[in-house]
Amino acid sequence: MSEVPNVYDTEPIPTAAMDEVNRILQSGDLFRYTSDNSPVALLEQEFAEKLGSKYALAVSSCSAALFLSLKALGLPRDARVMIPAFTFGAVPSAVVHADCIPVLCECGDNYRIDLDDFAAKLPHVDAVIISHMRGHTSDMDAIMQLCDDAGVPVVEDAAHSLGTQWDGRNIGTIGKIGCFSFQSYKLLNAGEGGIMITDDPNLIARAVIMSGAYEHNWKKHPVLLNSFAKWQNKLPLYNQRLNNLSATLIRPQLNELQRRVTDGRRNHDHVASQLNQSAWLSVPDSLPKEERAPDSIQFNLVDMTDTDTARFVEAAAAAGVKIQVFGQSPDNARAYWNWQFIGEIPDLPKTRAMLMKACDVRLPARLTLDECDVIAQIIVDAATATMTPARAYG
Ligand SMILES: *Cc1c(COP(=O)(O)O)cnc(C)c1O
């Protein structure tokens, strides 16, 4: 059989970055506020322009961006922030970090926010974080309508959905603030890092100062000069800045973005069509207004018991494909019942049912279609072997 591709390796960092890294190492100029037009400042300009938003602030992680977003919104201690119950543990953690209380919203079989539960909980919250989990975009028209009517600000956690579009608009530009990650498993890889974008000069000014633009370092964010003075010395300095080396690794990758998006979508759709041929596997449709940028595939198991599920995962692993069932792998950070740090865990039967049958397989953009075929075949065969064990003849 063909060799199973490695889905964990990332793409090499473009050579243009390496030359620039060398130059920076020679000069020792690693801190973003030492010089004007530092690599971090240039990354902010380029990223904002690429996404079509007015302002960007690069920080140490997407978690930091989410934290600073809540702080920039001026939410008081114990403000209630609604988040989807299907997200990464970093999201409720950012809420707790900002001294706020996470309110978990049900998610459906298609991994997206359950709008009935969302509408029911909205009157009781002060802000909303929409996690486009694994790039699956919830109905942003309905969500923005509900939140605008209620006067509730929306932060988009687009950590893992850079390049996704909703109705022709870039994800991350629809809510008040959009946050992205540069951690190695995301579309742009700096090891660690994050960035937030907004069109609101007041929000970005507050976030810039709190990210650690102490004294008059905010003068190195030239597009914003008029918004800073009133916040001088009024806000804490949380020091969550990005350094020049990280920004230097990201900047040339911006040119790779469209290829990664196109190839990732091609790979995803190729594998999805094969999985959907199996009676025991189902890939939920994307929403009509959504253009995704996947680097992994999620699918639901159909009519499998927990024992079947364990056998299926084992069969695929034996053939070389690691499948994570969100709700069944121990201590999974995407299973809300493991977020014991938020206090009492609510009962969310829809999300729980989905997590118990929802599978996750990495499918990086750099894979060829032949390599995708190998992965798809192993998954389909594992399901068949689990659900229709070969008859013993003779
Ligand atoms: C990765 C991720 C985060 C956290 O990003 P960091 O940069 O590692 O802090 C938050 N939300 C989602 C949906 C993610 O995938």
Side-chain angles (χ1 to χ4, degrees):
M1 195 178 63
S2 325
E3 206 173 314
V4 184
N6 178 327
V7 295
Y8 293 96
D9 288 354
T10 55
E11 291 186 24
I13 303 298
T15 45
M18 297 181 195
D19 296 342
E20 182 63 6
V21 164
N22 263 327
R23 195 192 61 78
I24 293 173
L25 293 181
Q26 293 287 332
S27 70
D29 184 11
L30 301 174
F31 181 51
R32 70 162 296 170
Y33 290 131
T34 304
S35 60
D36 290 331
N37 293 317
S38 67
V40 177
L42 293 172
L43 170 66
E44 289 169 347
Q45 287 164 31
E46 290 159 0
F47 194 90
E49 195 175 321
K50 186 140 210 134
L51 274 282
S53 64
K54 285 197 182 131
Y55 312 115
L57 170 66
V59 290
S60 53
S61 67
C62 182
S63 298
L66 291 169
F67 164 80
L68 288 168
S69 298
L70 299 178
K71 287 293 181 190
L73 287 168
L75 296 173
R77 182 176 289 274
D78 291 340
R80 293 162 59 86
V81 178
M82 182 149 60
I83 63 172
F86 177 44
T87 186
F88 184 52
V91 177
S93 304
V95 176
V96 169
H97 188 191
D99 293 321
C100 298
I101 298 171
V103 175
L104 274 44
C105 178
E106 284 269 37
C107 294
D109 272 354
N110 66 353
Y111 320 130
R112 292 165 176 87
I113 285 168
D114 180 293
L115 286 171
D116 290 339
D117 197 43
F118 185 83
K121 287 172 176 164
L122 189 62
H124 312 291
V125 303
D126 305 291
V128 161
I129 297 178
I130 301 294
S131 266
H132 305 296
M133 186 54 176
R134 289 288 194 275
H136 298 285
T137 307
S138 296
D139 183 342
M140 289 307 286
D141 292 351
I143 286 169
M144 291 312 297
Q145 185 74 56
L146 286 164
C147 290
D148 285 348
D149 289 351
V152 173
V154 173
V155 176
E156 288 181 80
D157 166 22
H160 208 149
S161 41
L162 179 59
T164 300
Q165 295 201 329
W166 174 262
D167 205 9
R169 294 173 68 186
N170 286 316
I171 282 300
T173 64
I174 298 170
K176 257 193 172 328
I177 307 175
C179 302
F180 300 84
S181 174
F182 300 140
Q183 186 265 343
S184 287
Y185 286 160
K186 317 297 163 107
L187 220 55
L188 301 177
N189 166 23
E192 304 283 359
I195 198 163
M196 57 197 282
I197 56 173
T198 182
D199 285 343
D200 185 323
N202 192 50
L203 284 179
I204 201 76
R206 288 171 56 84
V208 163
I209 290 178
M210 287 188 280
S211 75
Y214 60 92
E215 294 162 355
H216 289 183
N217 277 317
W218 45 260
K219 289 179 179 160
K220 302 236 163 65
H221 295 257
V223 286
L224 281 163
L225 282 182
N226 296 328
S227 304
F228 286 106
K230 72 175 173 185
W231 300 113
Q232 184 74 57
N233 301 340
K234 303 249 171 27
L235 297 168
L237 304 162
Y238 293 110
N239 284 12
Q240 296 175 315
R241 295 172 302 255
L242 195 70
N243 72 69
N244 282 339
L245 280 184
S246 304
T248 300
L249 300 181
I250 291 296
R251 289 180 62 214
Q253 291 182 56
L254 289 173
N255 302 325
E256 311 288 322
L257 184 60
Q258 194 50 52
R259 174 188 54 80
R260 291 179 187 175
V261 169
T262 308
D263 291 357
R265 190 181 301 150
R266 175 203 65 188
N267 288 353
H268 174 277
D269 294 351
H270 185 76
V271 171
S273 69
Q274 295 183 49
L275 301 192
N276 275 330
Q277 307 280 317
S278 167
W280 299 283
L281 308 173
S282 162
V283 183
D285 287 335
S286 53
L287 300 186
K289 290 190 176 177
E290 179 189 10
E291 279 279 9
R292 297 190 56 223
D295 62 1
S296 61
I297 188 165
Q298 290 71 47
F299 54 95
N300 293 328
L301 302 176
V302 180
D303 293 336
M304 287 199 198
T305 64
D306 286 356
T307 314
D308 295 333
T309 302
R311 269 203 222 120
F312 163 72
V313 169
E314 208 176 284
V321 172
K322 183 163 176 261
I323 297 173
Q324 162 178 260
V325 184
F326 291 109
Q328 309 246 12
S329 75
D331 299 323
N332 195 300
R334 297 148 206 89
Y336 66 86
W337 51 86
N338 290 325
W339 305 338
Q340 292 169 22
F341 52 84
I342 68 170
E344 200 181 327
I345 307 287
D347 188 27
L348 298 163
K350 283 187 187 172
T351 310
R352 180 180 288 271
M354 176 270 285
L355 289 168
M356 296 310 276
K357 64 179 181 191
C359 301
D360 188 31
V361 174
R362 286 177 57 78
L363 212 55
R366 62 176 169 72
L367 297 189
T368 64
L369 288 182
D370 285 346
E371 290 175 316
C372 291
D373 284 337
V374 173
I375 292 175
Q377 195 61 51
I378 288 173
I379 298 171
V380 169
D381 287 350
T384 308
T386 303
M387 300 307 282
T388 53
R391 300 225 173 82
Y393 289 101

